[in-house]
Amino acid sequence: MNNSGEETIEMAKADQLQVEESSDGSKSTERGICYYLVTILSFLLFIITCPLSIFFCLKIVQEYERAVIFRLGRLLPGGAKGPGIFFILPCIDTYRKVDLRVVSFDVPPQEILTKDSVTVAVDAVVYFRIYNATISITNVADANRSTRLLAQTTLRNVLGTKSLSEILSERDNISHIMQTSLDEATDPWGVKVERVEVKDVRLPQQLQRAMAAEAEATREARAKVIAADGEMNASRSLKEAADIIAENPQAIQLRYLQTLTTISAEKSSTILFPLPINFLSRLIPERGEGRKTLSEQNQESKF
Ligand SMILES: *[C@@H]1O[C@H](CO)[C@@H](O)[C@H](O)[C@H]1NC(C)=O
Ligand SMILES: *[C@@H]1O[C@H](CO)[C@@H](O)[C@H](O)[C@H]1NC(C)=O
Ligand SMILES: *[C@@H]1O[C@H](CO)[C@@H](O)[C@H](O)[C@H]1NC(C)=O
Ligand SMILES: *[C@@H]1O[C@H](CO)[C@@H](O)[C@H](O)[C@H]1NC(C)=O
């Protein structure tokens, strides 16, 4: 694929060389007597029909346009005329306007087989302008259309050498490569490719689903690891706290009172009956003592 692209570029260059040679060769041949005779006749015609002929012979091109003039089929020396007013001789001059503004076009979505055998549909936008009006008329029949077609093939050629992950991650690089290779190829046409933007890379539905499932599974696995890690950290911290509390028996009492304070802070009307579990073991054989302890505890909690 890439090879064929290079071939087309080389062919374009070779054509360009031929065209240059022929135009240079024709320039060097002298213009015959006939040329001057017809030019003088045409000028006379202009003078005879003067007030009227001005309407036909004075032409205007806009700031962003140039006029390429052919006299008797030959390019006028001095390059393209414009912007503004210019003069053509009746009957023997023809001219063509060329727009020098930047033109953009969409490259239609191209189904491309990537290096790792995935079919993707890619579309792009290309911005170009004509930098030399003369050679855009003399070297190529339709600069617009040729640039369009070349952009399509270049897109295919460049992306055919990339794998899917490269296409997805290196868009800037791909745009840059496309721009330089397109610009090189269109140089003989007087066309400057300013920018190429890869717009959209569409994957086949099945692959999209598979990739989404893969991403989801990865995320889930990570979430599970984080949760387990957190649990481990929490239990370790709890163990540390328990060890510290166990160092001094007063600490658990203080902690106990603290808990009571936090509970009563929420609703001041809450009545608590704290019942230590280890008292229960004594409560069953000796009931009297147990009751006394309970009432004492009640008073404490109300306080
Ligand atoms: C356009 O190209 C022709 C032929 O190569 C050259 O003679 C001319 O100077 C160029 N014009 C501009 C504006 O560069
Ligand atoms: C290229 O296309 C633009 C806009 O569609 C147009 O103005 C321009 O004349 C075209 N140029 C040629 C050489 O056809
Ligand atoms: C583009 O990719 C090529 C090869 O993959 C690398 O050599 C080049 O540095 C990259 N350019 C940019 C601008 O990332
Ligand atoms: C658990 O503790 C380790 C080391 O102290 C720390 O690197 C990790 O981020 C903690 N995990 C969580 C989920 O906080």
Side-chain angles (χ1 to χ4, degrees):
M1 268 184 152
N2 198 26
N3 282 345
S4 70
E6 278 167 9
E7 267 168 28
T8 36
I9 290 168
E10 272 168 17
M11 271 166 58
K13 276 182 186 163
D15 288 351
Q16 151 68 0
L17 284 179
Q18 280 172 6
V19 169
E20 268 181 355
E21 272 167 19
S22 67
S23 65
D24 284 348
S26 56
K27 256 176 205 163
S28 61
T29 57
E30 284 189 7
R31 289 173 172 155
I33 187 104
C34 196
Y35 175 87
Y36 293 106
L37 205 67
V38 174
T39 310
I40 289 166
L41 277 180
S42 174
F43 198 70
L44 281 178
L45 181 69
F46 168 70
I47 290 184
I48 291 164
T49 60
C50 192
L52 259 180
S53 58
I54 284 181
F55 292 109
F56 302 102
C57 294
L58 283 183
K59 301 285 178 189
I60 293 170
V61 287
Q62 307 292 324
E63 184 68 38
Y64 51 83
E65 286 173 332
R66 298 291 178 274
V68 181
I69 304 174
F70 295 89
R71 175 160 299 164
L72 290 170
R74 305 284 299 276
L75 263 180
L76 266 197
K81 298 283 187 295
I85 211 162
F86 65 97
F87 180 79
I88 59 169
L89 285 176
C91 301
I92 60 170
D93 280 1
T94 55
Y95 75 101
R96 283 182 63 185
K97 280 189 203 174
V98 179
D99 196 328
L100 298 188
R101 288 178 294 183
V102 173
V103 180
S104 64
F105 64 87
D106 286 317
V107 181
Q110 303 287 311
E111 290 266 328
I112 292 157
L113 191 68
T114 62
K115 207 166 140 195
D116 47 356
S117 303
V118 181
T119 333
V120 289
V122 181
D123 55 357
V125 192
V126 176
Y127 299 85
F128 72 93
R129 66 185 166 80
I130 288 169
Y131 72 89
N132 188 325
T134 311
I135 61 178
S136 84
I137 294 286
T138 55
N139 284 5
V140 62
D142 187 344
N144 278 359
R145 190 159 170 276
S146 308
T147 308
R148 266 162 222 253
L149 292 179
L150 194 65
Q152 287 180 19
T153 46
T154 311
L155 186 65
R156 301 182 83 95
N157 292 343
V158 169
L159 293 184
T161 63
K162 303 271 176 193
S163 65
L164 179 63
S165 60
E166 279 172 342
I167 291 175
L168 293 177
S169 60
E170 292 181 16
R171 281 201 196 187
D172 289 350
N173 203 345
I174 288 169
S175 300
H176 184 71
I177 293 171
M178 264 195 72
Q179 192 252 327
T180 43
S181 65
L182 252 184
D183 195 28
E184 234 170 70
T186 57
D187 208 35
W189 303 340
V191 169
K192 166 100 185 100
V193 177
E194 305 236 309
R195 276 184 93 85
V196 177
E197 297 287 343
V198 175
K199 236 177 29 179
D200 195 11
V201 179
R202 242 161 303 149
L203 299 172
Q205 286 281 325
Q206 283 175 334
L207 191 65
Q208 266 178 31
R209 239 175 279 139
M211 282 172 83
E214 189 191 340
E216 200 183 324
T218 317
R219 220 165 290 138
E220 242 169 48
R222 209 177 302 144
K224 276 180 188 164
V225 169
I226 290 172
D229 200 20
E231 213 157 284
M232 197 175 73
N233 286 5
S235 60
R236 196 179 296 139
S237 302
L238 259 183
K239 181 185 162 290
E240 272 169 27
D243 285 349
I244 292 167
I245 286 170
E247 277 171 20
N248 193 331
Q250 297 305 321
I252 188 69
Q253 188 65 24
L254 286 174
R255 184 80 193 83
Y256 170 68
L257 290 174
Q258 222 173 28
T259 313
L260 285 187
T261 317
T262 36
I263 291 169
S264 56
E266 272 180 21
K267 279 185 185 173
S268 49
S269 59
T270 313
I271 298 166
L272 282 174
F273 294 97
L275 189 66
I277 300 289
N278 46 0
F279 278 158
L280 278 179
S281 55
R282 262 187 267 167
L283 197 71
I284 298 160
E286 299 165 334
R287 288 187 176 207
E289 208 178 319
R291 254 178 219 150
K292 191 188 160 198
T293 342
L294 264 178
S295 60
E296 264 177 26
Q297 295 277 0
N298 284 353
Q299 273 171 2
E300 259 180 40
S301 69
K302 271 178 196 166
F303 178 67

